[in-house]
Amino acid sequence: MAIGPLRQLRTRRLMAQHGPTLPYDTAWALITLHTAPDETDLVRAWAHENPSGPPGIHHDQAHDLDDAEHARRHRWLRRHGRSPIQLLHLDTDLIETAGIHVPDWGPPASR
């Protein structure tokens, strides 16, 4: 499998694990930082050209979600203890300096 399709597969998997509040392009940027840290400049350039909000990790608006999504997130956290984004173990400073606005729903990360 070539790098492009593999990254696309990982991007779509992250979106499915995270749920409806994670856009494809943000998931792509996170997967790129996770799997190819040498491409950080590419992600920074993309984020500069496509701003989506203040950079960093921000809790999404869970009150806007239906009961099924709330239950799915609760099951995920019981099983894994962290959100799919937190399980990538990306440094929050890297996300901020890359200029990515990331909606997340995991427990607050300790710095």
Side-chain angles (χ1 to χ4, degrees):
M1 184 177 276
I3 295 291
L6 184 58
R7 188 173 299 171
Q8 185 175 19
L9 175 69
R10 289 176 176 156
T11 298
R12 292 193 185 282
R13 184 180 306 140
L14 178 61
M15 290 174 62
Q17 292 170 341
H18 186 275
T21 61
L22 185 64
Y24 179 87
D25 50 359
T26 302
W28 168 84
L30 291 169
I31 290 298
T32 300
L33 291 175
H34 178 71
T35 60
D38 56 318
E39 294 185 17
T40 300
D41 288 339
L42 172 67
V43 173
R44 281 189 181 114
W46 168 83
H48 180 72
E49 293 174 8
N50 301 283
S52 61
I57 297 176
H58 306 276
H59 277 24
D60 65 6
Q61 302 299 318
H63 62 272
D64 292 340
L65 302 172
D66 61 23
D67 291 339
E69 178 62 15
H70 280 286
R72 187 193 71 78
R73 288 179 178 191
H74 184 70
R75 284 190 310 272
W76 177 278
L77 290 174
R78 260 195 343 249
R79 182 174 183 194
H80 300 283
R82 295 177 169 184
S83 73
I85 290 173
Q86 291 170 333
L87 290 174
L88 292 175
H89 300 287
L90 290 171
D91 182 48
T92 55
D93 292 334
L94 174 62
I95 291 171
E96 288 179 23
T97 60
I100 307 168
H101 177 87
V102 180
D104 194 24
W105 46 263
S110 58
R111 277 203 172 237

